[in-house]
Amino acid sequence: MGLRLKSLSNQVVVITGATSGIGLSTARMAAAHGARLVLAARNEDALQQLVEELRSQGSEAMYVTADVGLIADVKVIAARAIERFGTFDTWINNAGVGVFGKVTDVISEDRQRLFDTDFWGTVHGSQVALSHLKTHGGALINVGSAFADRAAPLHGYYSAAKHAVKGYTDSLRVEAAAENFPVSITLISPSSIDTMFPVHAKNYLDRMPKLPPPMYAPETVAKAILYAAQHSKRDIYVGSAGKLLATAAYQAPRLVDKAMEMVMFALQKTDRPPEEQPPHNLYQPQRDLDERSGRTAYVQESSWYTNAITHPAVSLALVAGAAAAAAALWPRRRH
């Protein structure tokens, strides 16, 4: 069976971590394109509200309350999707949690919980999804991080989990190709995204945390994810900052070490005391249904780099047009 990815309007799409940030933005965007949705998260109240919202707009959606760290819960997501729609075409492993703190400060229970969600949740989702997609065809999309290529201080365990996601996804892709599975496997690597991530994260710092700039809108990631649901892509970096970081870390790792040592600690702390930090969601869901944190003064609404990667023909046409215009305006040499 060859690889054939459907248009979104003909797809059933499964999204984990669907009630906040990137997952929420992706769910709303996919619904607007006519996809039928299976939405999963731990927060049942938020899932109910989201499904009601999408149904009121004419979309077909259902939800499954699940903790992706538990393989039994993930199997239920797939079973309910097949029971309701007969199949699913794209599975998006997006659920994630965060911890801000030095690796020597984070207690064992917290780092284990982070890995249960961010790494093992991705593994569980990938294995369950692939057991169906390998015979029916479709797309498996894992949401990683730019910190997978270059770990950041105060994000040690998150970086490690996302590095593990990258290694697992790369290995799985090769093994699936060797078996001729009709499945596109994509790793999405976002830069800093203005979501509720720093609000929901557990905080060990002496100030409320934040992500380092530049910040991109969650819609930039949602667009990349939904592009990968319809076009076979190996990797997509969201935001040029993430790609530049990965390239610099490969070419000049010690220089990046020094740069991070100088600026990255301050860039991840606000001037507000830690007591003002809302309750974290490491173990229990908290406030959901927010795509953005509302704390960032400037957010880049698009990424020229990601647009170029996901729309190469349009980008090539723009470059060619600019070159033609420059040639036409260039003064002719006098003879």
Side-chain angles (χ1 to χ4, degrees), residues 173-228:
R173 186 187 298 111
V174 174
E175 292 174 3
E179 296 289 338
N180 292 316
F181 292 162
V183 182
S184 172
I185 300 178
T186 304
L187 180 66
I188 304 289
S189 298
S191 305
S192 292
I193 307 299
D194 181 27
T195 67
M196 296 293 286
F197 180 86
V199 181
H200 285 161
K202 184 165 183 180
N203 182 33
Y204 282 80
L205 308 181
D206 59 355
R207 293 288 186 271
M208 286 180 59
K210 64 178 181 177
L211 291 173
M215 299 285 284
Y216 297 87
E219 290 87 350
T220 60
V221 190
K223 289 177 183 178
I225 289 172
L226 296 183
Y227 179 87

Side-chain angles (χ1 to χ4, degrees), residues 15-20 38-47 50 63-68 73 77 95 285 288:
I15 306 173
T16 68
T19 55
S20 183
V38 181
L39 307 177
R42 294 176 297 169
N43 191 332
E44 184 169 13
D45 289 341
L47 284 168
L50 178 57
Y63 76 85
V64 181
T65 307
D67 182 338
V68 297
D73 281 17
I77 299 172
D288 276 326

Side-chain angles (χ1 to χ4, degrees), residues 16-101:
T16 68
T19 55
S20 183
I22 292 169
L24 179 58
S25 181
T26 303
R28 287 169 170 162
M29 193 175 294
H33 284 83
R36 291 169 289 169
L37 299 175
V38 181
L39 307 177
R42 294 176 297 169
N43 191 332
E44 184 169 13
D45 289 341
L47 284 168
Q48 288 179 334
Q49 293 179 55
L50 178 57
V51 166
E52 289 173 3
E53 170 196 322
L54 299 179
R55 287 176 177 173
S56 70
Q57 298 169 359
S59 300
E60 193 171 356
M62 61 170 286
Y63 76 85
V64 181
T65 307
D67 182 338
V68 297
L70 303 173
I71 184 65
D73 281 17
V74 179
K75 289 180 179 179
V76 171
I77 299 172
R80 292 282 304 281
I82 294 171
E83 177 184 345
R84 172 71 177 271
F85 297 114
T87 189
F88 56 84
D89 305 287
T90 292
W91 184 292
I92 302 164
N93 286 312
N94 165 76
V97 294
V99 174
F100 283 81

Side-chain angles (χ1 to χ4, degrees), residues 158-304:
Y158 180 81
S159 298
K162 291 300 186 178
H163 189 73
V165 166
K166 176 178 171 59
Y168 171 79
T169 303
D170 287 346
S171 180
L172 180 65
R173 186 187 298 111
V174 174
E175 292 174 3
E179 296 289 338
N180 292 316
F181 292 162
V183 182
S184 172
I185 300 178
T186 304
L187 180 66
I188 304 289
S189 298
S191 305
S192 292
I193 307 299
D194 181 27
T195 67
M196 296 293 286
F197 180 86
V199 181
H200 285 161
K202 184 165 183 180
N203 182 33
Y204 282 80
L205 308 181
D206 59 355
R207 293 288 186 271
M208 286 180 59
K210 64 178 181 177
L211 291 173
M215 299 285 284
Y216 297 87
E219 290 87 350
T220 60
V221 190
K223 289 177 183 178
I225 289 172
L226 296 183
Y227 179 87
Q230 301 171 90
H231 305 84
S232 182
K233 292 288 291 184
R234 185 183 190 278
D235 297 280
I236 301 178
Y237 284 87
V238 180
S240 57
K243 182 60 176 178
L244 289 172
L245 178 62
T247 302
Y250 180 78
Q251 297 293 340
R254 184 55 183 155
L255 181 62
V256 175
D257 284 349
K258 294 302 293 183
M260 285 195 168
E261 182 183 335
M262 293 172 61
V263 304
M264 191 59 79
F265 291 90
L267 286 177
Q268 295 189 84
K269 296 181 181 181
T270 69
D271 57 0
R272 299 169 64 180
E275 293 78 17
E276 295 184 15
Q277 177 80 358
H280 64 80
N281 72 349
L282 196 57
Y283 298 95
Q284 299 293 332
Q286 299 296 335
R287 171 185 167 183
D288 276 326
L289 297 180
D290 291 311
E291 293 184 26
R292 306 192 187 197
S293 69
R295 297 180 175 184
T296 305
Y298 177 72
V299 176
Q300 297 192 42
E301 297 297 327
S302 64
S303 165
W304 64 266

